[in-house]
Amino acid sequence: FNDDPYLDVDFTSDSKSIFEALGRADARSGTSINDTVIAAADHLAKGAKYKKRAIVLLTDGIDNSSHTSAKSMLKELHKPGMPAVYCILLFDSDKPAQARKALELLAQQTGGKAFYPGNEAQLNEMARQIAQEIRNR
């Protein structure tokens, strides 16, 4: 996502497709975290075949493009069957405290966690932690 959320790869267990989609990501312009999380939760509610539902949000900043407020997003995510949101603020050494605070609140309110890797090795370890936690839910 950038200014607007979009679906690049639908539900899949094919890691190659997922990595290819991540490679196509174009980090430009604005960041619409709230709109994207709502769209992802809605997509999960309509099409996920498993009861365990989680969103792993990888972002490089704070929301500056959403049409949905953080308050409205959190209200929507409190409905039954909504996913836990695991937030990863990518390489956050220069990110403002506001970004951390917003992601902490999102993760806490949905039963997920927020992570702040400083390098690729830490990112890989945090991804393993998230996968383990989702499996154990």
Side-chain angles (χ1 to χ4, degrees):
F1 66 93
N2 289 311
D3 294 352
D4 297 301
Y6 61 90
L7 180 64
D8 195 322
V9 176
D10 209 344
F11 299 113
T12 184
S13 59
D14 178 11
S15 59
K16 182 179 179 191
S17 295
I18 295 168
F19 283 112
E20 287 173 355
L22 289 171
R24 289 190 295 270
D26 182 17
R28 59 173 167 72
S29 197
T31 300
S32 59
I33 293 171
N34 302 341
D35 292 347
T36 300
V37 170
I38 291 293
D42 185 53
H43 187 69
L44 280 169
K46 291 177 181 173
K49 62 182 178 179
Y50 301 108
K51 289 186 180 185
K52 287 185 191 178
R53 295 184 178 158
I55 294 170
V56 179
L57 173 70
L58 293 118
T59 183
D60 63 354
I62 56 177
D63 192 309
N64 58 14
S65 295
S66 284
H67 302 289
T68 306
S69 70
K71 184 177 179 178
S72 294
M73 174 195 57
L74 290 171
K75 184 178 178 182
E76 184 72 22
L77 292 173
H78 273 85
K79 293 179 180 177
M82 286 300 192
V85 181
Y86 293 86
C87 303
I88 300 174
L89 182 59
L90 295 173
F91 313 123
D92 79 320
S93 61
D94 64 339
K95 302 299 187 268
Q98 180 183 1
R100 282 178 161 246
K101 184 178 176 183
L103 295 177
E104 286 284 345
L105 181 63
L106 173 57
Q108 180 214 16
Q109 294 288 314
T110 62
K113 289 184 180 175
F115 297 89
Y116 311 102
N119 57 49
E120 189 175 343
Q122 290 176 353
L123 175 61
N124 289 334
E125 179 55 33
M126 290 172 184
R128 280 190 279 283
Q129 289 176 21
I130 292 169
Q132 183 68 36
E133 186 164 320
I134 291 170
R135 279 191 292 274
N136 291 335
R137 285 181 71 105

